[in-house]
Amino acid sequence: MPLVHSNEVPNVDRGEAPLRVRVVQRGLRDAWHRSEASAVGAVWLFRHQGTLLCLSTQCPHTGCGIDYDPARRGFRCPCHDSNFQIDGTRQSGPAPRNMDHLPVAE
């Protein structure tokens, strides 16, 4: 994943929107191809209640892309209307669980 400096990470408690960051894997190769850098997904990165959080943008229901909804200050999957709190906790919809939290280092 590309490095993000700590001063670039938004704090949602101050009303800032989460940062969507592309996840890039470097040096992928198979029998025929070699790629210097390939996008393999994205994450939501932000601070909340003093904690650095990294959430997958992929909905746990069917894998659609989860968007940030600034009006609700939470996340929403537009495919089947699953809604999540700012910390990724499932609120409503067909998603069977919370958004996936991913390990992140400061």
Side-chain angles (χ1 to χ4, degrees), residues 2-75:
L3 294 178
V4 176
H5 297 284
S6 62
N7 62 346
E8 297 174 308
V9 177
N11 186 328
V12 296
D13 300 326
R14 293 191 304 233
E16 299 170 353
L19 180 64
R20 184 181 169 103
V21 180
R22 286 181 10 161
V23 177
V24 176
Q25 186 166 357
R26 301 197 183 283
L28 288 177
R29 59 193 298 181
D30 62 24
W32 298 277
H33 301 94
R34 182 166 192 269
S35 172
E36 292 301 316
S38 299
V40 294
V43 295
W44 289 108
L45 186 65
F46 57 96
R47 290 189 190 285
H48 176 54
Q49 298 178 344
T51 302
L52 180 62
L53 294 177
C54 183
L55 302 176
S56 173
T57 61
Q58 193 171 22
C59 183
H61 178 231
T62 60
C64 294
I66 295 175
D67 297 322
Y68 176 66
D69 183 346
R72 293 183 183 176
R73 289 202 62 232
F75 297 97

